Amino acid sequence: MCGIAGYIGNRKAAPILIEMLRLLEYRGYDSVGIATMDSRGRIRISKGVGSIDKVLKEKKLDSLPGNIGIGHTRWSTHGIVSEENAHPHTDCTGKIAIVHNGVIQNYFEIKRELLAKGHRFYSETDTEVVAHLIEELLKEGKTILEALRESIKRLQGDFSIVLLASPERRLYFMKKGLLPLIIGKGKGEAFVASDVIALAPYTKRVLYLEDGSYGYVSRDEIKVENVYGKPLPKRKNISIDASRIDKGGFAHRMHKEIYDIPHFASLFVSYAEHHIKGAIELLETYDKIRIIGAGSSYHASLYGEMVLSRIYKNKHIKAIVASEFPNRIDLVEDDLVIAVSQSGETYDVLEPVRRLKENGVPVLAIVNRRNSELDRIATERVYIEAGVERAVAATKTFVNQVLAFAALGGLESLNEVPKAFDKILKERRNRSGLGSEKLDEAALRIAKSLYDKPSAFYLGRYLGYVAAKEGALKIKEVSYIHAESYPSGELKHGPLALISKDFPVILISYSEKHVRKDRSTYEEVISRGANAYVITFDSLVENFEGASYISLPDVDENVSTAILVVPLFLIAYHAAVLRGYDPDKPRNLAKSVTVE
Ligand code: F6R
């Protein structure tokens, strides 16, 4: 959450910072701002509320002079969304400008002290406190590096900060805790960012800073010290395929990323052939396995619980929402914990993982982003190989998380999946009951019939319920339609009361074992006036004669969840667009939830 960027070199800083911020915008889009230092050492700031394009137009961000600067795109924590609260923030003298990702937990206490010493504050943010604290430490006679060192000690919480300190022509930084901060070095120039994506167009080798790091970069020097005495980490290569970051001709990233599913699914299947032996061995060693994840990654965890329990019949496997994990006391020392996170940055996942590791509990990560904090601290890892995902809503990464669990279960049917994706997204006109529609057209048809309704139900049994949960989350998240998921059998225990004329119900039916009951659920809802749509497979579709359905090519039911979610993603996407929303930037949300 929150994107931070810094540039120093021979080129004009502002346009480069804007390009870096564009790549970071998925981490927050409440407000945006830039600070640069001109040739006379004066700091100039421009910022405003809204997207980069909007603020760029209104405030001419790119006209700020100088070849050194910092930028920020905000997801608000402390303080409302306003221009005053937009970063960068400054001290009383205007000589220090700061951008920040994370939370300063003891900011209020420090603010009180600084107010008593006469500092004046202009925002409600925790960030501004840091600028004034450094000002105060400099006043006491400390050097900037000493002030940064002292600040890391005094400030509580997890944070990454980049700052300008006039008239020094350096980008200063400090990092405490789990939030990423990465330095990239070019010839006569340097870059700092909170996500390696923003560095990918400029440099190939980067330095991931460790917890407790502080220092500066100038045009030709990198200086890093560490409060805890950690050695300087080695530089690493960036593994991002920059050509797949853009929208590739689609109107929205979410839509493009759904169409990227076949490519990345087959990438993962090839990877899994050779690279997950260590993870399987680890899994086989433990009898009790806990799986933690948040949001879509929790849904993938639930799939993992269900499918691995079928395969490893003697193991006790349980999926737990990551933020609830610390409240559970049923964890004993001889457990294995599987942590699932696309970003590898989610605080709710990292926090327990950090503690588990301290207590010697092994952690197997299922992660997309290499070199993320989770990747680095895990005992063993499976990379889901889903490429960069920039739409806020997880789509292709959820699919590959599911495939990762299928691979850990040794499911041979994993190999069928890429072909099935090719069929539904590349070739096939589906059997939707209306003849020759493509899957996307069928999803659009369903979206058209529900986008103006306030609520919807998503129903399914067992692995179908996981798909239902994921479908309901997706439509809530991007189209703001209130959607609830239930195990189909639960409907009659209360929720059925909500069904009335035209109430949309999406019913997942994926297994011969459940199909008779699924048909009964279908009858129960349509007899009460609901508009029901069935998502099913070719071999089951005859059970839904007369229904409006989407039928998918048959796959082994153990891997069906990966296929079932594709039409659900498309329905959510189209519903958002029909309602006039940008599915790539859902309100109040951001990708990589790095706060508690
Ligand atoms: C939903 C979504 C979120 C994430 C969740 C965890 O579409 O994207 O629910 O799944 O915030 O994120 P990661 O997987 O990065 O830990």
Side-chain angles (χ1 to χ4, degrees):
M1 275 167 159
C2 291
I4 57 183
Y7 172 78
I8 178 163
N10 302 315
R11 297 187 267 171
K12 191 172 170 192
I16 293 176
L17 290 169
I18 290 162
E19 284 319 304
M20 290 175 81
L21 291 177
R22 273 191 209 290
L23 292 167
L24 296 170
E25 201 174 16
Y26 71 119
R27 301 179 75 95
Y29 29 83
D30 289 339
S31 61
V32 58
I34 284 180
T36 60
M37 201 189 302
D38 66 18
S39 54
R40 291 160 60 196
R42 267 186 320 191
I43 290 180
R44 312 271 289 265
I45 294 182
S46 182
K47 56 189 182 178
V49 169
S51 69
I52 295 179
D53 284 335
K54 176 174 168 282
V55 180
L56 179 62
K57 211 155 118 203
E58 285 169 9
K59 305 278 169 145
K60 308 229 170 338
L61 287 179
D62 53 348
S63 65
L64 287 183
N67 356 56
I68 168 169
I70 55 178
H72 189 268
T73 167
R74 178 170 187 242
W75 185 84
S76 346
T77 55
H78 294 69
I80 57 164
V81 178
S82 68
E83 192 166 321
E84 292 73 34
N85 290 335
H87 299 214
H89 292 286
T90 55
D91 67 333
C92 299
T93 67
K95 289 187 167 169
I96 292 166
I98 279 194
V99 288
H100 162 217
N101 176 29
V103 171
I104 311 289
Q105 283 164 352
N106 57 341
Y107 86 101
F108 196 69
E109 185 184 311
I110 296 182
K111 186 170 180 174
R112 226 176 9 215
E113 266 175 44
L114 292 166
L115 279 168
K117 288 183 175 158
H119 288 263
R120 293 187 42 202
F121 286 80
Y122 296 91
S123 76
E124 303 157 320
T125 64
D126 50 345
T127 311
E128 195 184 349
V129 167
V130 185
H132 293 276
L133 176 65
I134 291 175
E135 177 193 1
E136 190 60 30
L137 293 167
L138 295 180
K139 248 198 255 166
E140 289 171 12
K142 292 195 163 43
T143 64
I144 300 172
L145 287 181
E146 285 165 351
L148 294 177
R149 187 182 178 84
E150 182 66 23
S151 301
I152 292 182
K153 289 184 182 159
R154 292 206 39 202
L155 300 169
Q156 289 166 8
D158 289 60
F159 54 83
S160 287
I161 282 170
V162 183
L163 60 131
L164 296 176
S166 166
E168 301 286 339
R169 305 200 75 76
R170 289 168 174 173
L171 291 173
Y172 286 92
F173 55 80
M174 60 174 154
K175 165 183 152 112
K176 182 171 189 170
L178 301 168
L179 305 181
L181 195 60
I182 305 141
I183 296 174
K185 188 81 188 66
K187 217 167 159 208
E189 57 185 1
F191 308 81
V192 186
S194 55
D195 188 324
V196 72
I197 288 177
L199 304 175
Y202 303 102
T203 175
K204 291 290 152 249
R205 297 212 16 110
V206 292
L207 195 71
Y208 289 83
L209 293 172
E210 298 277 357
D211 178 14
S213 296
Y214 63 98
Y216 63 81
V217 284
S218 63
R219 281 181 185 168
D220 34 40
E221 188 192 3
I222 301 181
K223 181 163 184 72
V224 186
E225 297 189 355
N226 192 288
V227 173
Y228 313 119
K230 293 188 180 175
L232 189 65
K234 289 210 175 72
R235 288 196 199 184
K236 299 208 163 142
N237 286 330
I238 295 184
S239 57
I240 286 171
D241 178 356
S243 66
R244 284 201 170 256
I245 297 181
D246 67 15
K247 288 188 198 161
F250 286 81
H252 299 99
R253 292 209 160 82
M254 180 180 176
H255 206 194
K256 190 222 175 214
E257 287 166 4
I258 296 170
Y259 274 83
D260 272 346
I261 287 173
H263 171 80
F264 287 106
S266 58
L267 214 63
F268 175 76
V269 171
S270 315
Y271 161 88
E273 269 175 41
H274 305 290
H275 295 101
I276 62 164
K277 253 207 203 121
I280 293 180
E281 275 166 23
L282 190 63
L283 193 74
E284 284 174 347
T285 317
Y286 288 84
D287 293 333
K288 279 175 119 191
I289 296 166
R290 306 284 175 246
I291 312 175
I292 61 171
S296 294
S297 294
Y298 167 67
H299 296 159
S301 306
L302 208 53
Y303 167 81
E305 174 194 311
M306 291 178 184
V307 92
L308 293 180
S309 300
R310 277 183 171 177
I311 295 159
Y312 296 101
K313 294 204 169 59
N314 297 324
K315 293 190 191 295
H316 182 251
I317 303 172
K318 180 92 196 115
I320 302 163
V321 170
S323 58
E324 282 293 311
F325 185 72
N327 305 328
R328 298 290 292 256
I329 48 161
D330 52 348
L331 184 86
V332 291
E333 268 171 19
D334 53 358
D335 285 5
L336 169 71
V337 172
I338 302 181
V340 186
S341 174
Q342 181 286 124
S343 60
E345 283 181 25
T346 300
Y347 185 91
D348 289 335
V349 175
L350 287 181
E351 227 282 312
V353 165
R354 178 165 57 180
R355 247 174 304 122
L356 289 164
K357 286 300 306 273
E358 279 164 12
N359 291 315
V361 179
V363 175
L364 166 61
I366 295 184
V367 63
N368 192 33
R369 297 294 296 276
R370 283 182 156 81
N371 292 308
S372 59
E373 195 70 22
L374 179 61
D375 179 17
R376 291 189 292 150
I377 59 181
T379 317
E380 182 60 75
R381 69 272 306 138
V382 172
Y383 295 118
I384 63 165
E385 300 291 358
V388 175
E389 186 173 69
R390 285 182 66 206
V392 165
T395 52
K396 60 177 180 162
T397 57
F398 172 80
V399 166
N400 277 22
Q401 288 170 341
V402 165
L403 300 185
F405 279 110
L408 286 174
L411 289 177
E412 300 251 317
S413 49
L414 181 66
N415 298 310
E416 305 169 16
V417 175
K419 228 184 296 149
F421 284 137
D422 277 349
K423 276 194 195 152
I424 63 174
L425 286 169
K426 289 188 182 162
E427 308 157 9
R428 183 182 161 100
R429 306 197 81 85
N430 97 98
R431 298 175 51 190
S432 64
L434 287 183
S436 59
E437 280 175 312
K438 281 195 164 176
L439 182 64
D440 219 336
E441 293 159 359
L444 176 61
R445 171 173 54 84
I446 294 177
K448 276 186 178 158
S449 70
L450 59 71
Y451 81 97
D452 54 351
K453 308 284 186 302
S455 302
F457 278 168
Y458 282 65
L459 310 175
R461 288 167 204 270
Y462 206 61
L463 296 175
Y465 172 56
V466 176
K469 278 180 91 63
E470 180 58 11
L473 172 63
K474 220 56 51 175
I475 199 163
K476 263 192 286 232
E477 185 180 7
V478 298
S479 76
Y480 320 145
I481 292 172
H482 171 237
E484 284 195 77
S485 53
Y486 287 101
S488 306
E490 273 293 286
L491 203 65
K492 54 192 178 295
H493 299 289
L496 197 58
L498 284 175
I499 303 269
S500 59
K501 194 170 167 333
D502 293 339
F503 193 100
V505 175
I506 309 260
L507 176 69
I508 316 289
S509 183
Y510 75 102
S511 166
E512 188 67 50
K513 214 169 10 184
H514 308 306
V515 73
R516 195 188 48 75
K517 289 184 181 172
D518 292 339
R519 177 76 209 197
S520 303
T521 306
Y522 175 78
E523 296 298 340
E524 273 164 28
V525 296
I526 59 157
S527 64
R528 286 160 178 94
N531 286 340
Y533 310 95
V534 183
I535 314 291
T536 189
F537 288 98
D538 291 350
S539 60
L540 303 174
V541 76
E542 63 190 22
N543 294 285
F544 296 98
E545 226 190 295
S548 178
Y549 59 78
I550 289 180
S551 182
L552 302 161
D554 287 303
V555 287
D556 166 28
E557 68 169 61
N558 281 319
V559 292
S560 61
T561 312
I563 315 286
L564 287 164
V565 290
V566 176
L568 304 182
F569 291 161
L570 288 168
I571 292 168
Y573 167 74
H574 287 300
V577 175
L578 288 166
R579 284 165 73 93
Y581 300 124
D582 178 353
D584 291 344
K585 290 185 193 148
R587 68 184 177 212
N588 306 336
L589 301 179
K591 210 158 181 81
S592 295
V593 186
T594 54
V595 294
E596 263 179 289

